[in-house]
mmCIF file of all heavy atoms in Angstrom:
data_model
loop_
_atom_site.group_PDB
_atom_site.id
_atom_site.type_symbol
_atom_site.label_atom_id
_atom_site.label_comp_id
_atom_site.label_asym_id
_atom_site.label_seq_id
_atom_site.Cartn_x
_atom_site.Cartn_y
_atom_site.Cartn_z
ATOM 1 N N ARG Z 281 14.119 1.256 -0.633
ATOM 2 C CA ARG Z 281 15.551 1.192 -0.917
ATOM 3 C C ARG Z 281 16.203 0.173 0.003
ATOM 4 O O ARG Z 281 16.181 0.323 1.218
ATOM 5 C CB ARG Z 281 16.154 2.575 -0.667
ATOM 6 C CG ARG Z 281 17.597 2.716 -1.076
ATOM 7 C CD ARG Z 281 18.178 3.967 -0.500
ATOM 8 N NE ARG Z 281 18.431 3.730 0.925
ATOM 9 C CZ ARG Z 281 18.661 4.682 1.817
ATOM 10 N NH1 ARG Z 281 18.621 5.922 1.465
ATOM 11 N NH2 ARG Z 281 18.892 4.379 3.066
ATOM 12 N N SER Z 282 16.769 -0.875 -0.584
ATOM 13 C CA SER Z 282 17.566 -1.801 0.207
ATOM 14 C C SER Z 282 19.030 -1.430 0.016
ATOM 15 O O SER Z 282 19.341 -0.463 -0.680
ATOM 16 C CB SER Z 282 17.297 -3.246 -0.225
ATOM 17 O OG SER Z 282 17.872 -3.507 -1.482
ATOM 18 N N THR Z 283 19.919 -2.196 0.591
ATOM 19 C CA THR Z 283 21.332 -1.839 0.470
ATOM 20 C C THR Z 283 21.841 -1.966 -0.961
ATOM 21 O O THR Z 283 22.689 -1.194 -1.379
ATOM 22 C CB THR Z 283 22.196 -2.707 1.398
ATOM 23 O OG1 THR Z 283 21.907 -4.074 1.136
ATOM 24 C CG2 THR Z 283 21.940 -2.378 2.842
ATOM 25 N N SER Z 284 21.309 -2.924 -1.721
ATOM 26 C CA SER Z 284 21.837 -3.132 -3.070
ATOM 27 C C SER Z 284 20.815 -2.876 -4.178
ATOM 28 O O SER Z 284 21.201 -2.743 -5.336
ATOM 29 C CB SER Z 284 22.370 -4.559 -3.203
ATOM 30 O OG SER Z 284 21.373 -5.479 -2.844
ATOM 31 N N ASN Z 285 19.539 -2.815 -3.874
ATOM 32 C CA ASN Z 285 18.505 -2.637 -4.897
ATOM 33 C C ASN Z 285 17.550 -1.520 -4.518
ATOM 34 O O ASN Z 285 17.519 -1.070 -3.383
ATOM 35 C CB ASN Z 285 17.707 -3.931 -5.087
ATOM 36 C CG ASN Z 285 18.554 -5.034 -5.671
ATOM 37 O OD1 ASN Z 285 19.056 -4.905 -6.778
ATOM 38 N ND2 ASN Z 285 18.744 -6.105 -4.925
ATOM 39 N N ILE Z 286 16.750 -1.115 -5.500
ATOM 40 C CA ILE Z 286 15.706 -0.123 -5.263
ATOM 41 C C ILE Z 286 14.442 -0.594 -5.967
ATOM 42 O O ILE Z 286 14.504 -1.141 -7.067
ATOM 43 C CB ILE Z 286 16.146 1.286 -5.714
ATOM 44 C CG1 ILE Z 286 15.251 2.347 -5.103
ATOM 45 C CG2 ILE Z 286 16.227 1.424 -7.200
ATOM 46 C CD1 ILE Z 286 15.935 3.643 -4.831
ATOM 47 N N LYS Z 316 24.816 2.364 -8.470
ATOM 48 C CA LYS Z 316 23.483 2.263 -7.882
ATOM 49 C C LYS Z 316 22.635 3.489 -8.210
ATOM 50 O O LYS Z 316 21.436 3.370 -8.440
ATOM 51 C CB LYS Z 316 23.588 2.085 -6.367
ATOM 52 C CG LYS Z 316 24.118 0.749 -5.935
ATOM 53 C CD LYS Z 316 23.931 0.592 -4.447
ATOM 54 C CE LYS Z 316 25.170 0.164 -3.742
ATOM 55 N NZ LYS Z 316 24.974 0.006 -2.298
ATOM 56 N N THR Z 317 23.253 4.659 -8.253
ATOM 57 C CA THR Z 317 22.511 5.882 -8.564
ATOM 58 C C THR Z 317 22.071 5.892 -10.020
ATOM 59 O O THR Z 317 20.939 6.272 -10.330
ATOM 60 C CB THR Z 317 23.371 7.118 -8.253
ATOM 61 O OG1 THR Z 317 23.795 7.045 -6.892
ATOM 62 C CG2 THR Z 317 22.598 8.402 -8.463
ATOM 63 N N ALA Z 320 19.190 3.639 -10.297
ATOM 64 C CA ALA Z 320 17.973 4.251 -9.749
ATOM 65 C C ALA Z 320 17.337 5.194 -10.769
ATOM 66 O O ALA Z 320 16.105 5.238 -10.896
ATOM 67 C CB ALA Z 320 18.289 4.997 -8.461
ATOM 68 N N ILE Z 349 17.525 12.308 -0.781
ATOM 69 C CA ILE Z 349 18.876 12.485 -1.309
ATOM 70 C C ILE Z 349 19.301 11.178 -1.965
ATOM 71 O O ILE Z 349 18.660 10.141 -1.785
ATOM 72 C CB ILE Z 349 19.898 12.872 -0.209
ATOM 73 C CG1 ILE Z 349 19.909 11.833 0.893
ATOM 74 C CG2 ILE Z 349 19.621 14.243 0.342
ATOM 75 C CD1 ILE Z 349 21.016 12.031 1.907
ATOM 76 N N GLY Z 350 20.351 11.211 -2.723
ATOM 77 C CA GLY Z 350 20.947 10.006 -3.278
ATOM 78 C C GLY Z 350 20.037 9.257 -4.229
ATOM 79 O O GLY Z 350 19.467 9.817 -5.159
ATOM 80 N N ARG Z 351 19.898 7.952 -3.978
ATOM 81 C CA ARG Z 351 19.137 7.090 -4.882
ATOM 82 C C ARG Z 351 17.651 7.400 -4.882
ATOM 83 O O ARG Z 351 16.984 7.243 -5.910
ATOM 84 C CB ARG Z 351 19.365 5.620 -4.531
ATOM 85 C CG ARG Z 351 20.765 5.161 -4.847
ATOM 86 C CD ARG Z 351 20.925 3.686 -4.652
ATOM 87 N NE ARG Z 351 20.969 3.360 -3.225
ATOM 88 C CZ ARG Z 351 20.587 2.197 -2.723
ATOM 89 N NH1 ARG Z 351 20.107 1.258 -3.489
ATOM 90 N NH2 ARG Z 351 20.685 1.964 -1.434
ATOM 91 N N VAL Z 352 17.107 7.853 -3.766
ATOM 92 C CA VAL Z 352 15.683 8.195 -3.711
ATOM 93 C C VAL Z 352 15.413 9.406 -4.607
ATOM 94 O O VAL Z 352 14.458 9.418 -5.391
ATOM 95 C CB VAL Z 352 15.239 8.464 -2.256
ATOM 96 C CG1 VAL Z 352 13.805 8.932 -2.200
ATOM 97 C CG2 VAL Z 352 15.439 7.216 -1.409
ATOM 98 N N LYS Z 353 16.276 10.396 -4.545
ATOM 99 C CA LYS Z 353 16.153 11.568 -5.409
ATOM 100 C C LYS Z 353 16.373 11.180 -6.867
ATOM 101 O O LYS Z 353 15.706 11.684 -7.768
ATOM 102 C CB LYS Z 353 17.154 12.642 -4.990
ATOM 103 C CG LYS Z 353 17.043 13.939 -5.765
ATOM 104 C CD LYS Z 353 18.030 14.957 -5.223
ATOM 105 C CE LYS Z 353 17.882 16.305 -5.872
ATOM 106 N NZ LYS Z 353 18.193 16.307 -7.293
ATOM 107 N N ALA Z 354 17.297 10.249 -7.121
ATOM 108 C CA ALA Z 354 17.590 9.802 -8.482
ATOM 109 C C ALA Z 354 16.372 9.133 -9.118
ATOM 110 O O ALA Z 354 16.122 9.313 -10.312
ATOM 111 C CB ALA Z 354 18.783 8.849 -8.480
ATOM 112 N N VAL Z 355 15.609 8.376 -8.339
ATOM 113 C CA VAL Z 355 14.380 7.758 -8.858
ATOM 114 C C VAL Z 355 13.398 8.847 -9.279
ATOM 115 O O VAL Z 355 12.806 8.786 -10.366
ATOM 116 C CB VAL Z 355 13.736 6.824 -7.812
ATOM 117 C CG1 VAL Z 355 12.331 6.438 -8.227
ATOM 118 C CG2 VAL Z 355 14.572 5.587 -7.613
ATOM 119 N N ALA Z 356 13.215 9.851 -8.438
ATOM 120 C CA ALA Z 356 12.291 10.943 -8.757
ATOM 121 C C ALA Z 356 12.758 11.702 -9.998
ATOM 122 O O ALA Z 356 11.942 12.021 -10.882
ATOM 123 C CB ALA Z 356 12.169 11.894 -7.572
#
Side-chain angles (χ1 to χ4, degrees):
R281 187 194 76 196
S282 72
T283 53
S284 54
N285 293 298
I286 197 148
K316 290 191 230 180
T317 305
I349 57 172
R351 291 187 286 153
V352 175
K353 184 177 185 295
V355 167

